[in-house]
Amino acid sequence: MDKKKLIEQIDIERLYQHILNIEGVRHPIDNPDLLDAVADYLIYEFEEYGLKVNEHIFELDGFDQKFRNIEGLIDKGSDKELLVTAHYDTVSVSPGANDNGSGIAGMLEIARVLAKADIDTNVRFIGFTLEESHPQQDKKIRELMEESGLVDDELRFSTYHSIKHLEILDVLREEYLVQGKTVKESWQLAIGNIAEQLTEKEKQYIDSLQKLYENVTRTNWVGGSICIGSSKWLEKNKHNKQKILGVFNLEEIGYSSEKKYSQQYPAGIDPERYPSYKVDIENRVGNFVGIFADKYSKSIAQAFCEQCKIKDIDLPFHSLEVPLNYEEISQQIIDLLRSDHSSFWKEQVPAISITDTFEFRYPYYHTSADISDYLDFEFMTKIVKATLATVISLA
Ligand SMILES: [Zn+2]
């Protein structure tokens, strides 16, 4: 099989069209219709390419709708599989062109090209739902907001004072969390810092928010507050985990910048320590693909890096291969857990996230400005080609 010929078939125009087709809020409460329509879109596309489609459906108390992870399988009759995954939901305000329309577009393009390829190993594509948040928590937060008397009919905070102080609370909480404090301690310390400046109503609201997150820890955060779809999928497929050779999770692959200081790194990461290729670390230029790997995923990370260097791709990369397991990462570098690869890390299945590093680079992360206009489709195409080339090299 000619790898070069296959990667040439990755079509930038198709990537663009996929993103246009699914761009828009895809949130279980704010826009369940589009969330559902995109699940149907995945089924339609997988069937078009000749893949075997399976829907993994689950329900959540308090919700009438069903939640769906959509699988497309290239079935070669092998007892081994490679997975290519991406989540298709968004946060409530965001049209999610980059997060994660880009990952979905990439996954579909790889499926289309690979479906015609001569490979030995099964390849399973999964569009995960509910990566961003837990709908039950989202719903509860809305109820608390309404009860608090702090918001108007559209759930907008009525005073600048409230919005400002909740923002400060979030920043402080995040700081304590990356310093290694527990979720509970981070809440308490952050609240302690600003308590004197809060009104009675604000205090009550924040107390009830804290209670809502009472049982969330650094470790059960994945599956408890984020990555709900992939966690449910793993619950169901745990017994089969031995057959998964590796997972390639595409998580925001659309943004790059040639500007100095456009790149930041998660707390706890010394960028100099990790393998990179054509990255200007000193000037913090954000023009590379980032890779998140745990101690069990080093070899698939390296397989990906090798493909980035081939002449037809030539994609700068920075591979954050940390020699730690899930538990240790959740204590030390919690930001590395932020996508569906972490559900696999929990089960010691080799998995990497392939990413533009989200808000460590992308200014429109989780905002209503996450639109296709800002995306770099040439960069995205290279990432998709490198992912396809890696899957071919292992399949
Ligand atoms: Zn995402």
Side-chain angles (χ1 to χ4, degrees), residues 36-83:
D36 239 3
V38 172
D40 291 338
Y41 182 77
L42 292 176
I43 292 172
Y44 178 84
E45 292 295 316
F46 285 153
E47 280 176 351
E48 277 283 299
Y49 313 150
L51 274 58
K52 271 192 197 168
V53 172
N54 180 50
E55 292 186 61
H56 168 232
I57 298 172
F58 60 93
E59 294 178 29
L60 294 172
D61 285 346
F63 288 84
D64 293 335
Q65 78 238 59
K66 293 185 170 25
F67 299 102
R68 305 191 284 163
N69 293 318
I70 307 298
E71 303 174 37
L73 176 68
I74 300 177
D75 188 357
K76 294 289 175 181
S78 162
D79 57 358
K80 296 288 175 205
E81 303 194 344
L82 291 161
L83 266 54

Side-chain angles (χ1 to χ4, degrees), residues 229-246:
S230 55
S231 294
K232 295 271 183 199
W233 189 87
L234 268 147
E235 256 170 49
K236 182 157 186 267
N237 292 283
K238 221 181 241 184
H239 61 285
N240 273 330
K241 68 178 181 181
Q242 261 72 29
K243 72 177 182 187
I244 304 174
L245 297 174

Side-chain angles (χ1 to χ4, degrees), residues 87 89 98-100 131-132 251-252 338-339 358 365-366:
H87 75 86
D89 64 315
N98 195 24
D99 185 7
N100 190 24
E131 184 269 352
E132 297 288 0
E251 174 61 63
E252 296 164 70
R338 284 169 48 188
S339 187
F358 31 93
Y365 172 75
H366 282 187

